[in-house]
Amino acid sequence: MGARQKSDRALVLRLSLADLRHEWILSLCLTLAVSAILAPLLLLFGLKHGTIETLRHRLIENPVNREIRPSVSRSYTRQWIERLNARPEVEVAISNTRQLSASVLARLKGGQGETRMEIVPTAPGDPLLLLNQARPPEEGQCVLSQEAARKLGAKPGDTLVVATARRRQGVYEKGEMELKVAGVAEARATSQARLFVLLPVLEAMESYKDGEAVPAYGWPGSLPLAYPLYDGAVVALPAPLDKTTLISLRNNTGFHRAEPMAREEVLRLSGLSFPPETHTYFLATLGGASASASGASSPVDDKNLEAVRIRLRGQKPGLFAWTAPQEAELVGPAGQTLAGLKLYALPDGGEALPPAARPSPAPPWPALAQGQAPRLSLMPAPEVRAPEGELRLRLQLPQGELVFPVSLSAQASPRPGMSFIPPELAGVLRLGQTRPVRYDPEHHSFLLHRRGYAAFRLYARSIDDVAGLKEHFESQGIEVRTKAAEILQVKELDRYLSLIFWLIAAVGIAGGTASLVASLYASVERKKRDLAVLRLIGLPRSALLRFPVYQGAALAGGGFGLALGFFGLLAYAINTLFAAHLHPGESFCRLPWQELGLALAATLAVAALAAVLAALRVSRIEPAEALRDE
C-alpha cells in the first residue's frame, strides 16, 4: 500500500511539472509575477537588515557606546567594584581615583619639554584598548592615545618620564617615574591626550598628592598611620558624680550618654573589675552600652577622651577607653589556627590612680610612650595554649582579613574566655571595622589602606545591556552617563523599519497570494476533464489533491530563485555605490543565509496555502465527469 501511494505521488509530481512545461508561457508569466513581488521585499528586507546591523556593529565595536561612568564622585569600595565585575552583563569595570590625581606631566626620557595630559586607569580586558589596536599595559608600561603620542612624539618602545606634583608644608615637590610605551591606541579610543596605566600607578600618585610616602617609587612623605577609635569609655571614681557633672560629660565631648553602671555590668562588658567602694559610669555615643556592644554606636577618639578628662579634672578619675569585644584567631608558626579569641581592651596607667579607681587585672605590658606605635601584645585567656615561635592574630574585618604578629604575656588572663590587648591596639582594630587597615611589617605599624575609589569606568557586554545597567545604578542613587539615548534611537529605527517592511510585505504577499490562487484555480478548471480521467483510471483523490500544490510550489520556487538573482545584483550595486561610507566587512544591503532560508520556507508555505482552494476544487471532481464529456 505504501509503495502504491509513493508511485501515485511521483506520477502526480511528474504530471504537474509536465503541465507547467506544456504551458510554459503562462508558467513563465506566473513565475515573473511571483518574482516581481518577492524581489522588492527581499531588497527592502536586505536594506533594513544591512543598515541596522551596520549601525549595531558600529555601536558594539566602538566600546565608547557601551561605556558607563558615574556623573558625580563618591566612594566605591573595592568589594563593590568586584561585585560589578561578577555581573554577567558587565564586560569589565575599572576603578578610578579622584580627578585631582588624573593630571600629570610627561616627557620623553632625555627630552626637555613636558606635556600635561590626563592619566587614565586600565586593566586586562579593557575593550577601549583591545578594540582600538592596543594591548593593555603591564607593570611599568603605559599606552598612549593618538593625541598624546603626537604631542610627545612618542612611539611604542620609547620610555616616558611621568611626573606628579604636590605642595607639602609650603614646599613644592615633584615625584617622577619611568614608563615604557607599550602601544598607541587608535584615534577612535579618544580624541584627548591620555596616558593609560594600571590602577596601582594612579593609587601611588593619589597617595603622593595626599602627602604620603610611596616607597615603591622612592617618593618621600608621611605614613598614613592608623589611629584608634573607641566605642565608649568607663569612668571609675572613689566618689559619685553629681548630676551637673554627669550632664557635662555628654556636652561637646562626642558622647551622647553618660550613665551609672553597676560593677557587675562593667565586668561583663569590659572584663574589668573594681573595688566595691568604686563608683563606675559608662559613656557611650548612641543608645548606651547595648548599642556600643552591638557595634551600632558612632566611635570616638582620643580627643573625645581628653574632653571628658578635662571635665573630671580634680576628681582623680580612672578614664578607660572601651571597645566592643572583637573575634580573632591565634595563628601558630606553621599557619595553623591555635584558638579562637575574644579580645578586650586592657588599659594601663592605673598605678597613678587612687586604689578605688584602679581596674583589675593589671596590665602586664609597660605604659605606652608618646608617639609609640600600638603594642602588639596579648594576655591570652587561661584556656589558651600556644607553642613557642612566632604567633599572629588574624581578624576577619569588613574590608578584608587583617593579620599581624603578636607576643604573649607571661601572665594569663584571669577571666575565662576573655583575652586582653592594649587599648590602642583594640582601638586600631575598631577602626578596621569602618576603614581598611593593613599591617606594615617594614615599619611595624598599622597603616590606613584605601577606603574606596571616587569613580569607575564600566563596559557592558552588549549595547542591549546598557539600559538595564543604567536602571540598576539609578536604583542605587547613582547617576551615570551612558550612550543609552543613541542606542535607543537605533532600536527605534529597527522597530519602525520592521513595521514598514511588514506593512509593505503584507500588501505584496496578499496580492501575490490572490494572483497565485486565481491562477491555480483557473488551471484546475481548464484541466477538469483531464483530472477526471485520471480519477477514472484509478488515481486516488488524495494523490490528485497534490497536483495544484506541486504546481504552486514549483512556481513559487522559481519566482524566489529569480527574485534572489535580482536581489544579489541590486545588493552588489548598492554596496558598491556606498562603499566609501562603509568599514571593512560592512554591507549596506545584505541578507544572511539563515534569513534567506526562512524567506524561501515562507514563500513555499504561502504557495501551499494558495493552492488549498484549487486542491479543494480538485477534490470535488468525480470520474463520471470524464464520461459525460464523451
Side-chain angles (χ1 to χ4, degrees):
M1 188 68 179
R4 172 64 185 275
Q5 288 180 345
K6 291 181 180 179
S7 176
D8 292 341
R9 293 172 185 173
L11 176 62
V12 172
L13 176 61
R14 290 196 300 271
L15 289 174
S16 61
L17 295 178
D19 183 63
L20 290 176
R21 287 196 301 271
H22 177 70
E23 298 180 340
W24 66 271
I25 296 179
L26 181 59
S27 300
L28 179 61
C29 291
L30 289 174
T31 301
L32 290 174
V34 172
S35 175
I37 294 171
L38 290 178
L41 293 180
L42 289 177
L43 184 62
L44 181 62
F45 195 41
L47 287 170
K48 179 255 182 188
H49 183 86
T51 302
I52 296 301
E53 285 304 308
T54 296
L55 291 175
R56 284 181 61 89
H57 176 76
R58 291 184 179 182
L59 284 173
I60 293 173
E61 284 299 311
N62 189 352
V64 173
N65 297 312
R66 295 182 281 129
E67 184 178 277
I68 299 177
R69 290 174 178 261
S71 300
V72 295
S73 295
R74 55 183 289 184
S75 182
Y76 304 97
T77 64
R78 191 184 303 270
Q79 292 78 10
W80 189 84
I81 298 293
E82 290 174 354
R83 288 195 296 271
L84 271 186
N85 276 306
R87 294 179 67 92
E89 66 269 41
V90 174
E91 183 171 349
V92 66
I94 304 171
S95 306
N96 204 348
T97 57
R98 303 193 306 267
Q99 194 65 27
L100 173 70
S101 311
S103 179
V104 296
L105 295 171
R107 59 180 171 83
L108 280 173
K109 186 177 181 180
Q112 297 298 323
E114 290 182 321
T115 302
R116 184 169 295 278
M117 61 183 58
E118 182 181 359
I119 188 167
V120 179
T122 185
D126 187 350
L128 187 64
L129 299 182
L130 292 174
L131 296 180
N132 287 291
Q133 306 302 313
R135 180 174 51 85
E138 299 177 357
E139 185 177 354
Q141 296 180 338
C142 67
V143 170
L144 300 178
S145 66
Q146 286 278 357
E147 182 65 12
R150 184 189 66 80
K151 287 185 175 181
L152 292 170
K155 61 184 183 301
D158 289 344
T159 299
L160 301 182
V161 177
V162 180
T164 183
R166 70 182 179 191
R167 186 170 294 278
R168 186 168 66 107
Q169 298 177 351
V171 178
Y172 179 80
E173 298 177 335
K174 181 187 287 188
E176 294 184 340
M177 68 172 67
E178 293 186 0
L179 296 173
K180 185 177 181 180
V181 180
V184 178
E186 291 182 342
R188 186 180 65 168
T190 177
S191 60
Q192 301 177 7
R194 287 181 173 173
L195 187 148
F196 296 88
V197 297
L198 295 178
L199 181 62
V201 175
L202 267 86
E203 292 178 337
M205 290 184 173
E206 187 173 62
S207 298
Y208 182 74
K209 285 183 176 290
D210 289 340
E212 299 175 10
V214 184
Y217 297 106
W219 297 343
S222 60
L223 290 175
L225 295 175
Y227 50 88
L229 291 179
Y230 309 106
D231 292 311
V234 174
V235 178
L237 304 106
L241 294 174
D242 57 60
K243 189 173 182 179
T244 302
T245 304
L246 201 59
I247 292 175
S248 71
L249 296 183
R250 61 175 188 262
N251 287 337
N252 299 320
T253 62
F255 294 97
H256 291 266
R257 293 184 67 87
E259 54 193 12
M261 179 174 284
R263 291 183 299 106
E264 294 78 8
E265 184 65 13
V266 172
L267 176 62
R268 186 187 67 82
L269 279 179
S270 65
L272 303 178
S273 62
F274 294 89
E277 66 273 15
T278 304
H279 297 271
T280 52
Y281 299 85
F282 190 83
L283 308 182
T285 52
L286 289 174
S290 59
S292 296
S294 64
S297 66
S298 299
V300 294
D301 57 21
D302 290 328
K303 293 181 180 179
N304 301 103
L305 296 178
E306 185 60 28
V308 172
R309 188 173 285 109
I310 291 173
R311 284 163 174 75
L312 295 175
R313 186 182 303 160
Q315 302 195 43
K316 299 181 179 180
L319 179 60
F320 310 108
W322 177 83
T323 60
Q326 302 191 58
E327 302 287 342
E329 292 178 345
L330 184 63
V331 180
Q336 74 278 23
T337 300
L338 300 176
L341 306 176
K342 183 168 284 190
L343 303 178
Y344 292 77
L346 180 59
D348 51 24
E351 296 81 1
L353 298 174
R358 295 178 187 174
S360 175
W365 40 75
L368 182 70
Q370 184 71 26
Q372 182 182 349
R375 296 160 293 183
L376 307 180
S377 301
L378 171 68
M379 176 190 281
E383 66 274 11
V384 174
R385 298 291 181 267
E388 295 291 333
E390 182 181 356
L391 301 176
R392 290 170 293 166
L393 279 181
R394 178 167 59 205
L395 287 85
Q396 299 297 332
L397 300 176
Q399 311 296 334
E401 186 178 80
L402 176 63
V403 180
F404 56 92
V406 68
S407 60
L408 267 59
S409 64
Q411 174 187 347
S413 166
R415 317 264 190 249
M418 291 185 176
S419 298
F420 291 95
I421 55 177
E424 73 279 0
L425 177 57
V428 168
L429 299 184
R430 173 61 179 86
L431 174 68
Q433 299 290 336
T434 55
R435 290 199 59 179
V437 173
R438 63 183 177 88
Y439 179 74
D440 184 2
E442 180 181 353
H443 297 92
H444 306 287
S445 300
F446 290 94
L447 303 181
L448 290 174
H449 200 42
R450 173 175 296 278
R451 177 180 293 181
Y453 298 93
F456 61 87
R457 178 164 57 95
L458 179 147
Y459 294 93
R461 290 196 181 276
S462 167
I463 58 173
D464 299 322
D465 297 322
V466 172
L469 286 169
K470 183 174 184 290
E471 292 178 2
H472 168 72
F473 289 125
E474 289 178 347
S475 68
Q476 298 184 16
I478 303 173
E479 294 293 330
V480 294
R481 298 193 301 268
T482 69
K483 296 285 187 179
E486 291 84 346
I487 295 171
L488 182 61
Q489 288 178 357
V490 173
K491 290 185 175 181
E492 288 181 345
L493 178 62
D494 184 18
R495 185 166 61 251
Y496 294 146
L497 286 178
S498 297
L499 179 61
I500 293 172
F501 167 77
W502 287 115
L503 288 174
I504 296 174
V507 174
I509 291 172
T513 303
S515 174
L516 201 56
V517 167
S519 300
L520 293 175
Y521 193 87
S523 177
V524 169
E525 286 294 332
R526 290 196 311 272
K527 301 175 180 63
K528 181 170 61 175
R529 179 178 176 279
D530 298 329
L531 295 174
V533 170
L534 292 175
R535 289 279 288 116
L536 185 63
I537 63 177
L539 195 66
R541 180 176 299 173
S542 60
L544 200 59
L545 285 174
R546 300 174 183 272
F547 185 86
V549 175
Y550 288 151
Q551 286 195 334
L555 292 172
F560 184 86
L562 282 176
L564 186 60
F566 290 140
F567 167 76
L569 292 174
L570 290 173
Y572 176 78
I574 291 172
N575 291 329
T576 302
L577 183 63
F578 290 95
H581 304 282
L582 297 173
H583 297 160
E586 293 181 344
S587 299
F588 195 69
C589 181
R590 65 180 291 270
L591 276 177
W593 290 109
Q594 299 91 326
E595 302 289 345
L596 290 174
L598 290 175
L600 176 59
T603 301
L604 295 177
V606 169
L609 290 175
V612 168
L613 188 60
L616 291 176
R617 179 66 185 92
V618 170
S619 68
R620 290 196 292 269
I621 296 177
E622 298 295 336
E625 295 186 32
L627 297 176
R628 284 198 297 269
D629 292 337
E630 292 297 329

